[in-house]
Amino acid sequence: MKFSVVTIFVLWISLSFSQEDKFLVLAKFDDVQLAKQMELKMAGVLKSKGYSAITTQGNISEQDLSDEEVFLAKIHELGITGLIAFANPEVSYKSKRTPSVSANVHTKPVKVGIFRVNVGSSVPIAGGTKTSKEVAVSAEFYNKEDSGPVFTKVLKGNLSKGESTLMAKFSEEMLKELTKQKIIN
């Protein structure tokens, strides 16, 4: 899983949102499929609450993102009133030791010279060191009244249940933050 940093532009978006407003969801990752998945999950969560939301996939080109004036014109053309941006993902690995269980396997005694020796080994059954992949993504919401994001939240989780589950978790956390900030109901 590869990610990259993206610069988000200052926008003209209004702060009071109703069901008639339209959100744009932007996720800029090196992995295009993962970015698409993140955008679709967040847009789906917003739509399930009755809000209109679109993704950058098929609506915003790389050329649109390269210049602030072009980007603002494109968003105005699309009728966007809110921007949710996911950026700066970081992947780390976390190791955790768990108690281990093993079984001893022995054979019949073997004669070695004048001695009789039990030959065998200890076979691990469970436990030991477990490594998990941890992901942290910066999520931001923009409006026109502020020169920067209205709020920024770092979303954290692990990939133990897969990328799709983690993206759904991040989308739900972002929805809770939008509600907490009283941006949506």
Side-chain angles (χ1 to χ4, degrees), residues 93 142 159:
Y93 295 90
Y142 290 84
L159 287 168

Side-chain angles (χ1 to χ4, degrees), residues 3-8 26-30 38 84-90 135-140 142 152-155 170 174:
F3 301 103
S4 72
V5 177
V6 64
T7 301
I8 307 298
L26 169 69
K28 189 70 173 173
F29 306 156
D30 282 346
M38 182 74 245
I84 298 169
F86 296 95
N88 306 325
E90 295 178 12
V135 178
V137 174
S138 173
E140 301 174 333
Y142 290 84
T152 299
K153 181 170 180 69
V154 176
L155 306 171
F170 285 170
M174 189 61 174

